[in-house]
């Protein structure tokens, strides 16, 4: 490949040269404040700088798209859709997580659909995959092997992936070589075969998760427009609790959708519901419970929330959201938030985090989703609720004979698996 020093032709216009697609990593348990995708950003910045040098662009020219650039209140799905329809080259960072995560795979499929309808030559070249983290042999395919074509001969790339080359100083020459090749490939494709802007399917368009399919649940405890106090901002409430926007016009999406987008980026099919309609949803799945303090402004709402909090499993993470920007209602809302805190204490639950700003709300979401998932894996029953436990044969214990009534246990326990003293044998360490 040879470098290109000429400036980008007018045909590219204001579109970006590349769209960086990757699988989001869960926050690190030792310090959730650290960015688990730090090296993705380093690579994005390095590739952008390398492309700017090739097209003689100023340092502030945006030549690539990286979703971490989106502001807190943005409609992420809409922003991604617009970026996919207005970029020249799709650069997926292949890793085991990428191939099992519906979000980045949805980005890839959206761009492919755009290419199928595009009136340009050599369409396939507009996707330039990179081996970010090595893939197991059984996960490799003709498609993933294209990532080796870029730099399979560069020392360390095939064995360790570009992430390792980016992180380790000893691999710096190899990393720089891959960057040069990738920047050259992207600029050549963009300038020789520019894609016209076009509409692409929304990344989340095909994902309508039912409760039965859900791996994560977002539950909203907030008044509807009819239930909210009269002095509350009408931009905050609608006819459905799930559409609650605690920060009003500052947010493009309801609060629950931000949580759902975060969970889906981490590979979890997500279901959204109100706490009035949740049923056993929070028992079945790891969950985040979003609480509007104003839900306890009347006795009925306080009673209903108290019932929910009493039955809250460990894997449901409550979050109290209160907008401090409204000087007329912030003080009253804070008192209601204190009341919710006392209710959590009565229910023997740890204090809930209290969020007061939209940026804080968005930033904390990966941490909360990951913590709910961790608590579920640690504490949830092995068998789903309602499924009968099969009794395992035990040495020294006779098996039921054919002439015993159905469900009778010859050891003297009842069919539910409790002995006369009421001990649940199904929960013993031996049975588990």
């Amino acid at each position: 490949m040879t470098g290109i020093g000429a400036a980008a032709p007018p045909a590219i216009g204001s579109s970006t040269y590349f769209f960086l697609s990757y699988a989001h990593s869960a926050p690190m348990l030792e310090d959730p404040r650290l960015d688990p995708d730090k090296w993705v950003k380093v690579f994005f910045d390095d590739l952008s700088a390398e492309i700017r040098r090739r097209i003689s662009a100023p340092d502030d020219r945006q030549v690539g798209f990286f979703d971490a650039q989106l502001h807190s209140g943005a409609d992420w799905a809409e922003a991604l859709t617009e970026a996919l329809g207005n970029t020249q080259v799709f650069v997926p960072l292949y890793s085991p997580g990428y191939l099992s995560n519906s979000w980045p795979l949805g980005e890839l499929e959206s761009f492919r659909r755009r290419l199928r309808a595009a009136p340009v030559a050599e369409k396939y070249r507009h996707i330039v995959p990179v081996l970010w983290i090595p893939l197991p042999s059984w996960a490799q395919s003709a498609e993933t092997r294209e990532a080796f074509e870029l730099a399979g001969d560069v020392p360390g790339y095939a064995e360790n992936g570009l992430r390792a080359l980016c992180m380790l100083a000893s691999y710096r020459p190899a990393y720089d070589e891959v960057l040069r090749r990738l920047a050259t490939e992207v600029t050549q494709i963009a300038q020789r075969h520019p894609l016209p802007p076009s509409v692409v399917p929304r990344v989340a368009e095909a994902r309508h998760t039912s409760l039965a399919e859900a791996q994560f649940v977002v539950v909203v405890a907030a008044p509807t427009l009819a239930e909210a106090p009269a002095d509350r901002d009408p931009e905050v409430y609608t006819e459905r609790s799930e559409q609650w926007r605690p920060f009003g016009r500052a947010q493009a999406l309801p609060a629950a959708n931000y949580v759902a987008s975060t969970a889906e980026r981490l590979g979890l099919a997500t279901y959204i519901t109100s706490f009035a309609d949740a049923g056993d949803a929070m028992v079945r799945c790891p969950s985040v419970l979003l609480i509007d303090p104003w839900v306890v402004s009347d006795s009925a709402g306080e009673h209903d929330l108290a019932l929910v909090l009493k039955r809250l499993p460990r894997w449901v993470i409550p979050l109290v959201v209160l907008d401090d920007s409204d000087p007329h209602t912030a003080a009253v809302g804070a008192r209601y938030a204190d009341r919710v805190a006392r209710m959590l204490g009565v229910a023997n639950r740890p204090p809930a985090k209290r969020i007061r700003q939209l940026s804080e709300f968005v930033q904390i979401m990966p941490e909360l989703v990951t913590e709910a998932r961790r608590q579920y894996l640690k504490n949830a029953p092995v068998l789903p609720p309602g499924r009968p436990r099969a009794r395992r044969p035990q040495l020294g214990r006779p098996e039921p004979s054919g002439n015993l009534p159905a469900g009778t246990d010859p050891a003297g326990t009842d069919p539910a698996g409790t002995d006369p003293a009421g001990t649940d044998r199904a929960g013993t360490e031996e049975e588990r």
Side-chain angles (χ1 to χ4, degrees):
M1 301 178 187
T2 58
I4 296 178
I12 294 178
S14 61
S15 70
T16 57
Y17 274 74
F18 71 99
F19 179 108
L20 190 63
S21 176
Y22 65 103
H24 285 245
S25 303
M28 292 176 270
L29 291 177
E30 59 271 19
D31 190 349
R33 295 170 298 178
L34 297 176
D35 183 3
D37 295 313
K38 167 188 173 182
W39 297 106
V40 177
K41 184 180 187 305
V42 170
F43 167 67
F44 173 82
D45 290 341
D46 290 344
L47 179 57
S48 296
E50 194 69 29
I51 290 174
R52 288 192 198 99
R53 280 194 287 271
R54 277 162 169 69
I55 64 174
S56 302
D59 291 343
D60 60 351
R61 163 76 189 275
Q62 182 180 348
V63 295
F65 176 86
F66 177 45
D67 61 12
Q69 300 169 325
L70 300 177
H71 65 84
S72 299
D75 181 337
W76 293 335
E78 182 63 31
L80 289 174
T81 301
E82 181 178 351
L84 284 167
N86 198 38
T87 194
Q88 294 296 317
V89 180
F90 187 89
V91 180
L93 301 184
Y94 284 159
S95 66
Y98 193 102
L99 301 180
S100 62
N101 191 317
S102 63
W103 190 278
L105 291 177
E107 294 173 345
L108 178 57
E109 178 58 25
S110 289
F111 191 77
R112 280 179 176 155
R113 293 187 186 183
R114 179 186 174 199
L115 288 183
R116 292 185 194 121
V120 297
E122 301 191 58
K123 297 179 183 182
Y124 67 94
R125 292 190 61 195
H126 286 266
I127 299 177
V128 182
V130 171
L131 180 66
W132 188 241
I133 296 175
L135 305 171
S137 57
W138 60 85
Q140 295 180 18
S141 63
E143 180 181 17
T144 60
R145 281 191 287 272
E146 291 179 7
F148 294 94
E149 296 178 5
L150 174 71
D153 59 327
V154 175
Y157 175 78
E159 298 84 357
N160 304 304
L162 191 60
R163 181 176 183 269
L165 273 58
C166 179
M167 294 172 61
L168 303 176
S170 59
Y171 281 117
R172 190 69 201 189
Y175 175 69
D176 289 341
E177 175 60 22
V178 178
L179 269 183
R180 285 191 291 269
R181 294 187 185 187
L182 183 58
T184 300
E185 183 74 0
V186 169
T187 51
Q188 283 183 341
I189 295 167
Q191 294 178 355
R192 294 179 181 177
H193 308 287
L195 286 172
S198 56
V199 177
V200 300
R202 287 173 64 94
V203 173
E205 195 173 68
R207 292 200 305 275
H208 299 287
T209 303
S210 67
L211 179 57
E213 301 167 327
Q215 299 168 300
F216 197 88
V217 173
V218 185
V219 181
V220 181
T224 63
L225 182 62
E227 298 165 341
D231 59 347
R232 296 290 286 134
D233 185 352
E235 296 287 338
V236 172
Y237 303 104
T238 69
E239 289 76 16
R240 297 171 55 195
S241 297
E242 303 96 300
Q243 299 297 314
W244 172 52
R245 284 175 162 82
F247 303 100
R249 296 178 182 177
Q251 57 186 112
L253 296 171
N257 290 60
Y258 287 105
V259 188
S261 293
T262 300
E264 294 203 342
R265 287 182 175 192
L266 293 174
L268 302 172
T270 304
Y271 180 79
I272 298 174
T273 184
S274 69
F275 86 120
D277 299 325
D280 66 346
M282 291 183 285
V283 176
R284 299 163 58 100
C285 297
S287 310
V288 165
L289 173 61
L290 300 177
I291 303 175
D292 176 9
W294 293 85
V295 78
V296 300
S297 62
D298 65 74
S299 57
E302 183 173 357
H303 175 267
D304 291 344
L305 182 61
L307 291 179
V308 171
L309 296 182
K310 286 180 181 178
R311 300 191 299 266
L312 218 56
R314 291 179 179 270
W315 51 86
V316 179
I317 309 297
L319 182 69
V320 177
V321 185
L322 177 67
D323 184 8
D324 275 354
S325 65
D326 186 347
H328 301 292
T329 61
V332 178
R335 290 199 294 272
Y336 289 139
D338 292 339
R339 185 179 300 177
V340 173
R342 291 193 293 271
M343 293 168 65
L344 284 165
V346 171
N348 199 28
R349 292 284 307 197
K353 293 183 181 294
R354 191 178 299 187
I355 299 298
R356 297 177 172 86
Q357 297 179 351
L358 178 59
S359 59
E360 184 185 11
F361 175 79
V362 174
Q363 289 167 5
I364 203 174
M365 275 307 113
E367 177 185 344
L368 294 190
V369 170
T370 302
E371 177 61 15
R373 178 68 172 158
R374 188 179 73 85
Q375 290 294 338
Y376 181 80
L377 294 175
K378 179 180 178 181
N379 296 295
V382 176
L383 295 175
R387 179 176 173 180
R389 293 184 173 93
R391 184 174 60 81
R392 298 178 181 177
Q394 297 182 18
L395 292 175
R397 179 176 179 177
E399 290 301 303
S401 61
N403 57 357
L404 290 176
T408 302
D409 189 331
T413 58
D414 63 24
T418 56
D419 60 23
T423 305
D424 185 356
R425 293 183 296 100
T428 65
E429 189 65 32
E430 178 185 17
E431 291 279 330
R432 288 199 297 268

